[in-house]
């Protein structure tokens, strides 16, 4: 019935309808009170009129008694002070009555008639007195006629005045009954209106409450259904706030189911082990990837203790990691060794965080609550660690096991070239320089690999000092001058006063690699230029060539290992492919950065930035 209306409107109706009824009842009571007051005023008015009439009648009776017959004429031949006093009182009462009846046409006409009779009587009395004084006769026929007229006028005046008094008395007598009737009506309106207002309020409240509570119960049931993963009830009808809230709840439930579904897909297909533990570190949940890591099915993993799988050598470190997790101080993953039931060991990166119950803080607690859950992610790095160990072994083999025999080969080639073993012959002399260059190239490659590994493992130490770039430029040009002259390339540098904080030998090596690389890829007759620009915080060094340039897709990857430009120069002049990688490693070791700027057929600029002198 009220469902198409908003909840706000329903509440407004519940408040306003009884209020309107109450106002109507108060208006009716006020009207009846006004009628009662008007009736009381009418009664008071009638009493005043009656009092004035009684007073006027009393004065008229006195005048009629004292001056209205032949005997009174003999006793009072003149109208003295007493008569004038009574005449004034009569005039006063008549004027009061006239003022009181001016708004009552019927009574006002009667008062005018009465006033006329008073004036007529006064005139007759005056005529009688004048005639009496003139004729000096008793029982005069003319005077008797006047007395008769006066008597008749007096009677008519008395009747007229008494009729006014009777009218006022009738109104005053009827007023108490009318006022009682009005009071009864007021009482009846109050009782009936109050009962009707109560019933109306209860009825509207019941309808509105039933409409709200029934649909709130549906929403409450929906919350339990959502928590139990059951289908929700149908949308509640209506267009008020509750129905809108229910529609939002249904949308939220659908989005939540979609999110749960996506989360389930992610967990089931994740390559990392994602699981949760209770406060006693027993498995509560685990995704399928845990089966591969722990060598057990999910059902077998659930409710087993986490430390049953942690290698003995890692347990103390794992406990310390858990303590930091309780204080939310873990900023990186912990490396653990996991023991599988089949005897195999796996190395993992373990990340964990406590998900405490709402409204509770783990900070400063002795331990987690029984309702708290530890969310953990295990990333299996066994293969990566094995590959890293293999790589280290290969590097060790290359840098150590190959260096000794390669040194022997270099020495033998040198001895051959010097003729220590006799004349090698013309053909051998022709091939010896190439063999020596190849062996030197292999030795540089081994040295570069070893240096890269030192930087990566943190074994390379810096000897920082204030270095003048002018001095470094001169040494670099001098060192590469022979190679540049052989390829027909000129070397130039701009004078600079810049000073940097760096390791001198490493800085020389960076520039030597960049200059030799620029010379190697410059055309014959080209120029390689060195320059530096400084500001308050850093110095940017640039090595610029006039070569064929780099393709856009190699601007970033050119600093990776074994990367070379795909052009004829790279194929003919060769290189280990580690020079730029060495430069990047050494620059970053100094806390700087290196990059390349190039356009095809426009040359290349290699730039690196280092901090200025502290």
């Amino acid at each position: 019935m009220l469902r198409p209306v908003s909840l706000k409107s329903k509440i407004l109706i519940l408040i306003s309808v009884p209020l309107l009824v109450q106002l109507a009842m108060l208006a009716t009571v006020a009207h009846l009170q006004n009628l009662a007051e008007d009736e009381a005023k009418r009664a008071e008015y009638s009493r005043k009129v009656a009092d004035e009439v009684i007073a006027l009648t009393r004065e008229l009776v006195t005048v009629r008694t004292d001056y209205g017959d032949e005997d009174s004429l003999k006793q009072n031949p003149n109208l003295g002070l007493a008569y004038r006093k009574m005449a004034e009182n009569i005039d006063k009462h008549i004027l009061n009555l006239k003022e009181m009846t001016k708004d009552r046409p019927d009574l006002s006409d009667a008062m005018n008639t009465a006033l006329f009779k008073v004036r007529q009587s006064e005139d007759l009395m005056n005529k009688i007195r004048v005639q009496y004084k003139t004729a000096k006769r008793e029982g005069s026929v003319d005077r008797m006629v006047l007395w008769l007229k006066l008597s008749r006028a007096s009677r008519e005046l008395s009747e007229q005045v008494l009729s006014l008094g009777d009218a006022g008395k009738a109104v005053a007598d009827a007023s108490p009954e009318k006022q009682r009737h009005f009071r009864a009506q007021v009482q009846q309106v109050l009782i009936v209106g109050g009962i009707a207002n109560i019933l109306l309020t209860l009825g509207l409240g019941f309808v509105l409450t039933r409409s709200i509570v029934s649909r709130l119960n549906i929403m409450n049931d929906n919350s339990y259904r959502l928590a139990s993963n059951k289908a929700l009830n149908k949308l509640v009808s209506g267009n008020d706030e509750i129905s809108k809230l229910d529609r939002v709840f249904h949308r939220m439930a659908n989005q939540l189911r979609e999110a749960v579904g996506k989360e389930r897909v992610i967990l089931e297909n994740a390559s990392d082990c994602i699981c949760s533990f209770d406060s006693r570190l027993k498995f509560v949940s685990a995704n399928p990837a845990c089966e591969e890591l722990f060598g057990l099915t999910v059902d077998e993993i659930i409710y087993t203790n986490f430390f049953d799988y942690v290698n003995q050598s890692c347990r103390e470190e794992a406990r310390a990691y858990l303590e930091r997790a309780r204080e939310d101080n873990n900023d990186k993953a912990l490396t653990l060794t996991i023991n599988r039931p089949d005897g195999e060991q796996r190395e993992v990166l373990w990340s964990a965080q406590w998900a405490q119950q709402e409204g509770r803080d783990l900070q400063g607690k002795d331990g987690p609550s029984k309702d708290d859950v530890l969310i953990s992610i295990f990333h299996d790095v066994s293969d990566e660690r094995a590959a890293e160990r293999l790589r280290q072994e290969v590097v060790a083999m290359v840098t150590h096991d190959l260096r000794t025999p390669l040194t022997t080969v270099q020495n033998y080639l040198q001895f051959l070239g010097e003729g220590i073993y006799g004349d090698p012959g013309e053909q051998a002399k022709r091939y010896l320089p190439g063999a020596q260059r190849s062996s030197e190239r292999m030795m540089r490659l081994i040295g570069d690999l070893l240096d890269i590994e030192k930087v990566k493992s943190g074994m390379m130490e810096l000897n920082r000092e204030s270095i003048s770039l002018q001095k470094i430029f001169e040494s670099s040009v001098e060192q590469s001058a022979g190679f540049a002259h052989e390829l027909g390339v000129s070397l130039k540098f701009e004078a600079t006063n810049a000073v940097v904080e760096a390791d001198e030998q490493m800085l020389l090596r960076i520039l030597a690699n960049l200059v030799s690389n620029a010379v190697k890829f410059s055309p014959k007759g080209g120029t390689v230029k060195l320059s530096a620009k400084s500001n308050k915080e850093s110095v940017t060094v640039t090595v610029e060539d006039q070569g064929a340039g780099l393709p856009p897709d190699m601007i970033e990857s050119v600093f990776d290992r074994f990367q070379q430009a795909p052009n004829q120069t790279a194929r003919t002049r060769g290189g280990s492919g580690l020079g730029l990688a060495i430069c990047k490693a050494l620059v970053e070791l100094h806390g700087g950065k290196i990059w390349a700027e190039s356009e095809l057929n426009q040359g290349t600029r290699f730039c690196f930035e280092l901090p200025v002198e502290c």
Side-chain angles (χ1 to χ4, degrees), residues 574-609:
S576 66
L578 292 176
L580 293 179
I582 287 287
C583 292
K584 180 179 180 182
L586 295 180
V587 168
E588 291 177 349
L589 187 62
H590 281 82
K593 60 181 180 178
I594 188 170
W595 67 95
E597 300 173 354
S598 180
E599 295 181 9
L600 289 176
N601 302 318
Q602 298 295 323
T604 303
R605 292 174 300 281
F606 284 96
C607 309
F608 63 92
E609 185 179 85

Side-chain angles (χ1 to χ4, degrees), residues 490-509:
S490 301
L491 296 179
K492 294 182 180 179
F493 64 88
E494 295 180 358
T496 178
N497 296 322
V499 177
V500 294
E501 287 286 326
D503 186 301
E504 183 175 359
Q505 296 303 318
M506 291 187 184
L507 186 55
L508 280 171
R509 188 169 182 183

Side-chain angles (χ1 to χ4, degrees), residues 68-230:
D69 54 18
E70 190 73 22
D71 294 333
S72 64
L73 181 62
K74 295 177 181 180
Q75 296 175 1
N76 300 294
N78 297 313
L79 296 174
L81 182 62
Y83 174 79
R84 287 196 296 273
K85 182 68 175 176
M86 285 186 288
E88 291 177 358
N89 290 337
I90 290 172
D91 289 341
K92 179 180 178 181
H93 290 310
I94 289 176
L95 291 176
N96 288 340
L97 286 172
K98 188 173 182 180
E99 179 67 22
M100 293 169 63
T101 59
K102 65 181 181 180
D103 296 329
R104 295 282 302 274
D106 53 340
L107 298 179
S108 181
D109 293 340
M111 282 307 306
N112 290 331
T113 302
L115 183 59
F116 175 75
K117 294 296 183 182
V118 169
R119 297 288 181 259
Q120 184 181 23
S121 299
E122 289 178 349
D123 185 58
L124 289 171
M125 289 183 68
N126 289 328
K127 287 181 179 181
I128 290 173
R129 289 307 188 265
V130 170
Q131 194 179 76
Y132 176 75
K133 290 178 182 180
T134 303
K136 299 290 185 179
R137 295 194 301 251
E138 296 182 4
S140 171
V141 176
D142 293 335
R143 197 164 55 249
M144 288 300 297
V145 172
L146 292 175
W147 279 119
L148 290 175
K149 289 182 179 181
L150 177 61
S151 177
R152 186 168 56 252
S154 177
R155 245 189 343 269
E156 291 176 355
L157 177 60
S158 297
E159 290 176 357
Q160 191 73 28
V161 171
L162 288 175
S163 66
L164 285 172
D166 292 340
K169 185 175 182 300
V171 171
D173 292 341
S175 180
E177 180 64 22
K178 290 183 178 181
Q179 292 183 48
R180 186 194 65 77
H181 178 67
F182 287 140
R183 285 193 295 272
Q185 285 184 325
V186 169
Q187 185 176 11
Q188 184 179 5
V189 168
L190 289 174
I191 294 173
V192 174
I195 294 174
N197 202 22
I198 291 172
L199 293 177
L200 181 61
T201 303
L202 291 175
L204 290 174
F206 174 75
V207 172
L208 179 59
T209 303
R210 184 177 64 178
S211 172
I212 294 174
V213 171
S214 61
R215 291 183 294 155
L216 286 178
N217 288 333
I218 294 175
M219 292 192 63
N220 187 46
D221 183 57
N222 281 338
S223 64
Y224 286 108
R225 287 175 174 270
L226 179 62
S228 304
N229 199 24
K230 296 180 180 179

Side-chain angles (χ1 to χ4, degrees), residues 154-415:
S154 177
R155 245 189 343 269
E156 291 176 355
L157 177 60
S158 297
E159 290 176 357
Q160 191 73 28
V161 171
L162 288 175
S163 66
L164 285 172
D166 292 340
K169 185 175 182 300
V171 171
D173 292 341
S175 180
E177 180 64 22
K178 290 183 178 181
Q179 292 183 48
R180 186 194 65 77
H181 178 67
F182 287 140
R183 285 193 295 272
Q185 285 184 325
V186 169
Q187 185 176 11
Q188 184 179 5
V189 168
L190 289 174
I191 294 173
V192 174
I195 294 174
N197 202 22
I198 291 172
L199 293 177
L200 181 61
T201 303
L202 291 175
L204 290 174
F206 174 75
V207 172
L208 179 59
T209 303
R210 184 177 64 178
S211 172
I212 294 174
V213 171
S214 61
R215 291 183 294 155
L216 286 178
N217 288 333
I218 294 175
M219 292 192 63
N220 187 46
D221 183 57
N222 281 338
S223 64
Y224 286 108
R225 287 175 174 270
L226 179 62
S228 304
N229 199 24
K230 296 180 180 179
L232 301 182
N233 295 302
K234 294 182 179 180
L235 287 170
V236 297
S237 59
N239 194 33
D240 59 4
E241 289 80 358
I242 295 178
S243 60
K244 293 177 181 178
L245 181 61
D246 187 57
R247 287 195 291 271
V248 172
F249 185 86
H250 275 74
R251 286 198 298 270
M252 180 197 69
N254 292 332
Q255 293 173 356
L256 186 59
R257 288 194 180 97
E258 291 178 3
V260 170
K262 293 177 181 178
E263 180 183 356
R264 185 180 298 111
V265 171
I266 293 172
L267 290 176
E268 290 178 354
N269 293 277
S271 58
D272 289 339
C273 173
I274 303 174
C275 55
S276 60
F277 302 94
D278 61 15
S279 59
R280 295 172 297 175
L281 295 181
K282 289 188 175 181
F283 281 89
V284 176
S285 64
N287 68 334
C290 294
E291 296 181 352
E292 174 64 23
L293 177 62
F294 293 98
L296 297 170
T297 64
V298 172
D299 293 336
E300 292 172 332
I301 295 174
I302 297 300
Y303 296 120
T304 60
N305 193 280
F306 167 59
F307 280 101
D308 293 343
Y309 305 96
V310 179
N311 191 279
Q312 186 68 34
S313 61
C314 304
R315 291 186 179 180
E316 290 302 322
E317 194 173 2
R319 289 189 176 93
Y321 184 81
L322 284 173
E323 289 297 327
R324 293 196 300 272
R326 291 191 181 103
E327 298 177 358
D328 223 7
N329 289 334
N330 286 333
D331 55 356
K332 61 181 181 178
L334 177 67
T335 301
L336 290 179
T337 301
I338 299 296
N339 296 327
R340 288 163 47 111
D342 58 6
E344 183 182 353
Q345 291 184 340
R346 293 290 184 91
E347 290 186 71
V348 297
L349 291 176
W350 177 37
S351 300
Q353 184 176 3
W354 284 101
Q356 65 267 26
Q357 64 186 49
E358 186 177 357
R360 180 179 176 275
D361 189 1
L362 285 172
Q363 185 73 22
K365 302 293 182 181
D366 294 335
S369 166
K370 64 179 182 178
D371 296 324
D372 295 333
V373 176
L374 180 68
I375 307 299
S376 296
I377 300 176
F378 296 92
H379 178 62
D380 191 348
V381 293
S382 302
D383 295 337
E384 289 87 340
R385 295 297 170 87
E388 179 66 19
R389 285 192 293 270
L390 178 60
R391 186 185 62 81
Q392 291 175 352
E393 291 174 1
V394 171
V395 171
M397 179 190 68
V398 170
T399 57
H400 295 87
D401 298 345
L402 292 182
R403 176 174 286 187
T404 300
L406 190 57
T407 303
T408 302
V409 171
Q410 277 187 313
N411 292 334
Y412 181 73
L413 292 174
Q414 183 179 358
F415 294 156

Side-chain angles (χ1 to χ4, degrees), residues 519-556:
V519 170
K520 183 171 59 176
F521 288 94
S522 292
K524 189 174 182 179
T527 301
V528 174
K529 185 171 69 174
L530 286 72
S531 61
K533 292 183 180 180
S534 60
N535 53 39
K536 294 181 179 180
E537 298 180 353
S538 62
V539 174
T540 301
V541 179
T542 302
V543 178
E544 183 177 357
D545 63 43
Q546 297 176 338
L550 295 172
D553 58 342
M554 285 198 66
I555 295 295
E556 297 293 334

